[in-house]
Amino acid sequence: MPHPSLSLLDDTSFTSTGLDVANPANGEILARVRTYDRADLVSMIERADVARRAWQSRTAKERAHILRDWAELIEAQRDGLATIITLECGKPLAEAHREVSSAAAYIEWFAEEGRRAYGELIPGLGTDRRVVTLREPVGTCAAITPWNFPLAMIARKAAPALAAGCSMVVKPAEATPMSAMALERLAHESGIPHDLFRVAPVLDPVEAGSLFCNHPLVRKISFTGSTRVGKLLMAQAAGQVKRLSLELGGNAPFVVFDDADLDRAIDGAIASRFRNAGQTCICANRFLVQASVHDAFVDGLARRVAQLRMGDGMTPGVNVGPLIDAAAVARVSDLVTTALAGGARLVAGGSAVGNNFHEPSILRDVKPDMRVAQEEIFGPVAAIIRFAEETDALRLANDTPYGLAAYLYTGNNARLWRMMESLEFGMIAVNEGLLSSEEAPFGGIKESGFGREGSRHGLADYMTIKYGLIGGLAA
Ligand code: ADP
């Protein structure tokens, strides 16, 4: 019997065999959801490839209207969707509400942007010839998504795909399939053809990934998740030279200079580090703080961390929920213990609590070569490193194979531009702690991947360019 708050999902979503979905806040099994095997996935891909032909031949305006209806339905069902997100992924309900709105905003944005997939007429090549470009949908796409934004990560892949005229089959994360299933249901209710957009929870993600990479009808794969799995998919996708978008891990530096507005920097630090209990790929992972403001920053941050309330995300006032599972807590604990053994000092928190919780924590005197500064923490732990000069900050910040997001706090405009242009990351937030929005191109460089989500670039990722040469035009 599924949890009563799952009324957005219909009975066929649940079966006696399938995937057990647990509430990370208390371990309760929320439901057992229906899963799909390899043959089901093959059939979904084949049907999606048929469905896209009709979809693609509709006008962009017709597609836009249907997508807009989907966005409106999502907003109308915000409470139900947010509840599912919090129940299966653990984040505080207020954050889940923001995620739902963000998902709707991406869909609305791409509904509009889909109507502006302009080609070009390029001059040159002589008076009797013309060069034109047409932008066409990539084709049938597959997506593999993570549990930390179980709704928005799918919306920001599916919306540009559908707006461009593609179809999509999504394999959601095993921990959080129900947000995805609810999203699919609302898509179909709003008029998106059934076979065009499918969500398929599976028991074996490795097999699903391999199928997506090896099925000839899949023309593109969009993946958000770990760098490890991203590399596996990239290697497999090479066999058929499939297009890829990879949004992988990060190790975001958060650089605070002595000319920064310190209160603003502390606000940004709280938002960036502790949102979703530190489980986002753009979370500030290493705080690099200039020596003369170091102690004031640490004290200010400690005061704010002391006010954070940890608990079940469904409880009003809670702003740090559980981590996704016990393994995640064990990993974060290990990073903290190893840092302390290496000479870091604890300013706040430091301990695992209960099954799936980890206290919001601050470590100071962290050394750049410690694992806590080298690896993605994915937990509510702020690791603080002191630096002397701008050149030191830049060197430390760039000293990582990752290149997703970086944060920079300064009141000096010349420094702002110098740093922004020298930091090797796909996204730089200056004097801001949150940076994802549907209008902006989200994505990384280096081992954080490639491809962009949001903005007009997000649409371009689901389109190909066809060049046409038209000759024989002499009078
Ligand atoms: P995380 O550690 O955050 O769970 P993963 O990269 O393991 O990150 O998971 C992100 C997504 O990738 C999930 O949907 C998961 O099921 C999927 N996944 C995990 N391993 C593979 C694989 N070998 N091939 C394809 N997808 C995978």
Side-chain angles (χ1 to χ4, degrees):
M1 186 63 194
H3 192 283
S5 299
L6 303 175
S7 56
L8 262 183
L9 299 169
D10 59 37
D11 290 344
T12 60
S13 307
F14 305 106
T15 47
S16 53
T17 58
L19 197 57
D20 279 342
V21 184
N23 179 345
N26 55 24
E28 177 196 3
I29 298 298
L30 297 162
R32 181 167 288 175
V33 305
R34 174 174 179 196
T35 54
Y36 296 86
D37 64 17
R38 191 175 187 286
D40 297 325
L41 287 182
V42 168
S43 156
M44 278 184 199
I45 292 167
E46 288 169 357
R47 286 165 166 271
D49 204 61
V50 172
R52 81 177 167 90
R53 316 257 163 206
W55 179 247
Q56 167 174 339
S57 66
R58 288 162 95 154
T59 64
K61 186 171 177 172
E62 282 176 315
R63 291 198 295 266
H65 281 172
I66 296 175
L67 287 170
R68 226 166 43 211
D69 287 348
W70 188 21
E72 279 172 16
L73 209 51
I74 289 168
E75 270 297 349
Q77 297 288 353
R78 192 140 67 89
D79 288 347
L81 288 166
T83 303
I84 295 176
I85 292 173
T86 294
L87 284 174
E88 67 179 0
C89 129
K91 71 178 61 177
L93 195 57
E95 284 186 35
H97 272 267
R98 285 197 288 277
E99 180 175 346
V100 177
S101 290
S102 158
Y106 274 96
I107 295 170
E108 185 189 31
W109 168 269
F110 283 113
E112 295 159 355
E113 206 55 21
R115 298 181 65 192
R116 289 183 263 285
Y118 304 132
E120 299 162 297
L121 177 61
I122 303 176
L125 286 187
T127 52
D128 65 338
R129 287 179 287 178
R130 300 286 183 275
V131 171
V132 294
T133 64
L134 312 177
R135 290 177 67 201
E136 298 181 340
V138 170
T140 293
C141 302
I144 299 177
T145 54
W147 47 261
N148 60 346
F149 289 90
L151 192 78
M153 287 296 164
I154 297 176
R156 67 196 217 179
K157 295 180 190 308
L162 300 183
C166 302
S167 53
M168 181 171 265
V169 177
V170 182
K171 188 211 76 64
E174 287 59 58
T176 57
M178 295 190 298
S179 310
M181 290 152 61
L183 185 68
E184 180 196 40
R185 178 169 181 193
L186 296 181
H188 296 158
E189 266 177 35
S190 61
I192 290 171
H194 179 267
D195 292 344
L196 190 78
F197 173 64
R198 292 304 310 272
V199 166
V202 303
L203 289 171
D204 185 349
V206 179
E207 184 186 53
S210 157
L211 173 66
F212 289 163
C213 291
N214 291 301
H215 197 296
L217 291 179
V218 175
R219 297 282 173 78
K220 175 186 168 116
I221 298 164
S222 179
F223 171 73
T224 298
S226 62
T227 295
R228 181 187 72 81
V229 174
K231 288 177 182 177
L232 287 175
L233 291 171
M234 194 168 172
Q236 294 179 76
Q240 293 178 5
V241 196
K242 290 212 197 291
R243 257 177 86 169
L244 284 173
S245 289
L246 298 178
E247 204 268 87
L248 310 177
N251 182 1
F254 187 107
V255 187
V256 183
F257 285 103
D258 59 8
D259 52 28
D261 175 338
L262 222 51
D263 289 336
R264 196 176 169 93
I266 290 165
D267 282 346
I270 292 287
S272 171
R273 174 68 278 184
F274 295 100
R275 185 168 63 116
N276 203 10
Q279 303 171 108
T280 87
C281 48
I282 55 169
C283 271
N285 208 52
R286 302 168 284 156
F287 290 86
L288 308 176
V289 187
Q290 198 155 22
S292 56
V293 292
H294 175 273
D295 291 355
F297 178 83
V298 172
D299 290 348
L301 190 64
R303 274 195 295 276
R304 291 287 300 279
V305 164
Q307 292 163 7
L308 293 174
R309 209 168 137 218
M310 183 175 74
D312 185 329
M314 292 300 288
T315 308
V318 161
N319 32 36
V320 177
L323 300 193
I324 191 69
D325 55 26
V329 177
R331 216 184 43 78
V332 173
S333 284
D334 185 43
L335 289 176
V336 170
T337 314
T338 312
L340 293 175
R345 286 198 288 151
L346 197 60
V347 178
S351 302
V353 180
N355 273 342
N356 287 353
F357 290 88
H358 193 285
E359 288 178 310
S361 308
I362 303 176
L363 295 172
R364 59 176 288 177
D365 302 337
V366 169
K367 300 186 186 70
D369 60 354
M370 287 179 171
R371 279 178 52 217
V372 76
Q374 296 278 331
E375 296 178 18
E376 197 170 31
I377 299 171
F378 242 62
V381 178
I384 302 179
I385 299 171
R386 182 195 300 255
F387 73 86
E389 303 294 335
E390 182 180 313
T391 47
D392 303 325
L394 185 62
R395 182 178 43 77
L396 288 171
N398 282 341
D399 184 19
T400 169
Y402 296 108
L404 195 57
Y407 302 83
L408 169 64
Y409 279 78
T410 177
N412 176 328
N413 275 337
R415 168 176 275 163
L416 178 168
W417 282 99
R418 245 187 344 261
M419 287 294 289
M420 194 162 79
E421 289 169 2
S422 313
L423 283 165
E424 295 168 350
F425 295 83
M427 297 175 279
I428 317 282
V430 182
N431 300 324
E432 295 284 344
L434 299 173
L435 50 58
S436 77
S437 83
E438 68 278 12
E439 297 97 343
F442 188 107
I445 60 172
K446 296 165 73 179
E447 292 192 22
S448 292
F450 47 78
R452 292 295 179 264
E453 294 185 335
S455 83
R456 67 190 169 86
H457 304 289
L459 185 74
D461 270 12
Y462 289 89
M463 306 202 83
T464 55
I465 294 175
K466 183 179 277 172
Y467 146 52
L469 173 65
I470 302 164
L473 301 178

